[in-house]
Amino acid sequence: MSEDIPFNKSLDLAPDTVDEPAPGLRRVMADNPGPFTFKGTMSYILGRGKVAIIDPGPADDAHIGALLDAVRGETVTAIFVTHTHRDHSPAVPAIKAATGATVYAEGPHRPARALHIGEHNPLDSSGDHDFRPDVALKDGEVVTGDGWSIEAVTTPGHTANHMAYAWRERSALFAGDHVMAWSTSIVAPPDGAMSDYMASLNKLSHRGETVYYPGHGPAIPDASRFVAYYILHRKAREASILHRLAKGATDIPSIVRAIYIGIDARLTGAAGLSVLAHMEDLVTRGLVATDGAPAIDGVYRLAA
Ligand SMILES: [Zn+2]
């Protein structure tokens, strides 16, 4: 097994139309394509008659209208939110107001760690800081609907409040931005944390759901194999960072240039934060040293 993740970027889906990726599951993709969102955010509708919506998506009137059209004549009993990035949760108030559904999530938006002195949060504007769930779910809690049941699976790492949702009748998991078919997940401090992210991946690999429905891109039909690739990929990235440090690199920008060959220029900042996430983890584990707290402009060396 190489560490090359078998990405699947084939997705032939018009935005704000309804399709049915599995019996009993509908999907409406928002029209918000981009380097972080692929072709758009996926909102899922679970069940028939009395349904749940997973990730209402961005505050986009066309998308909100398309979702409400899709459930016209039905009752929305629950809204589940995987995490509070602005492409996933800002449509919640409008959908809740129109349907009266109960909103479930892990909790409000928050960083994975406190800011260091002098540090500004480069991700501040990507968070939906107004979001509050009606019910804060704990790991393992189950919400039952009409013909479906959802188990909350805490999966911190991409954000501190990231939660996946297991669809228990189908051995399926709504994976949010934790695992996606088209790309790796972004783990960027201070909102994200690599040690949490790896622990969440390991947790999912032990659960063994068969199919994942992610927040962006197509479904992942062979989920356990895919998660194994994801874990290998992160370990390979960590090995590359250690290798560059051994070769004399001392700063994050030169490591990004050396290991992210051919990266989309719009993603360079995210790649730097991803390397910072690895540095935080490596410093905590005593493998890498830096002066003070690990920082994006810090100087790094292998620990003696
Ligand atoms: Zn996200």
Side-chain angles (χ1 to χ4, degrees):
M1 202 171 182
S2 88
E3 73 269 16
D4 292 331
I5 304 172
F7 288 126
N8 175 8
K9 298 194 183 189
S10 56
L11 180 71
D12 192 14
L13 197 61
D16 292 329
T17 59
V18 186
D19 84 325
E20 193 167 350
L25 182 66
R26 284 166 284 170
R27 172 173 72 173
V28 181
M29 183 178 75
D31 192 10
N32 60 339
F36 297 102
T37 55
F38 191 43
K39 296 188 176 177
T41 304
M42 295 294 184
S43 300
Y44 293 96
I45 302 165
L46 179 60
R48 277 279 174 190
K50 291 180 181 167
V51 306
I53 292 178
I54 296 129
D55 278 355
D60 173 304
D61 288 343
H63 185 60
I64 291 164
L67 262 180
L68 291 175
D69 275 349
V71 297
R72 200 163 299 281
E74 300 177 280
T75 305
V76 181
T77 60
I79 296 168
F80 295 97
V81 172
T82 61
H83 67 297
T84 43
H85 278 151
R86 300 196 67 82
D87 53 329
H88 289 262
S89 57
V92 167
I95 301 287
K96 180 181 165 62
T99 63
T102 303
V103 179
Y104 298 90
E106 194 269 355
H109 193 77
R110 64 180 184 278
R113 60 157 170 81
L115 288 178
H116 303 310
I117 292 166
E119 183 184 28
H120 82 285
N121 184 347
L123 310 163
D124 232 14
S125 61
S126 64
D128 175 8
H129 298 271
D130 297 329
F131 176 83
R132 300 288 181 277
D134 295 321
V135 178
L137 291 173
K138 299 229 177 330
D139 188 45
E141 277 192 77
V142 174
V143 177
T144 304
D146 186 4
W148 51 263
S149 61
I150 284 288
E151 178 188 348
V153 183
T154 50
T155 39
H158 173 71
T159 61
N161 68 352
H162 195 285
M163 192 163 251
Y165 296 99
W167 179 11
R168 304 207 302 171
E169 287 77 13
R170 295 293 172 83
S171 185
L173 184 90
F174 297 98
D177 285 6
H178 188 70
V179 178
M180 300 177 287
W182 72 285
S183 166
T184 54
S185 180
I186 289 180
V187 181
D191 282 16
M194 190 58 73
S195 55
D196 291 345
Y197 185 76
M198 291 302 293
S200 295
L201 278 184
N202 283 316
K203 175 179 178 173
L204 291 191
S205 75
H206 288 107
R207 291 183 58 89
E209 271 88 7
T210 313
V211 56
Y212 287 2
Y213 296 102
H216 307 272
I220 303 170
D222 192 357
S224 10
R225 180 165 163 271
F226 198 84
V227 168
Y229 272 111
Y230 246 55
I231 291 170
L232 277 182
H233 170 83
R234 290 289 172 182
K235 289 184 173 162
R237 184 123 286 166
E238 177 183 295
S240 306
I241 291 169
L242 291 170
H243 179 70
R244 298 322 304 181
L245 289 171
K247 289 279 190 185
T250 60
D251 62 285
I252 289 177
S254 55
I255 291 173
V256 168
R257 280 193 298 278
I259 68 179
Y260 288 83
I261 311 289
I263 187 177
D264 182 330
R266 295 169 297 176
L267 296 177
T268 313
L273 290 169
S274 178
V275 173
L276 173 60
H278 277 290
M279 290 301 194
E280 289 185 346
D281 183 38
L282 290 165
V283 168
T284 302
R285 287 157 54 201
L287 294 168
V288 169
T290 185
D291 298 322
I296 193 75
D297 55 357
V299 175
Y300 295 89
R301 59 192 179 274
L302 291 179

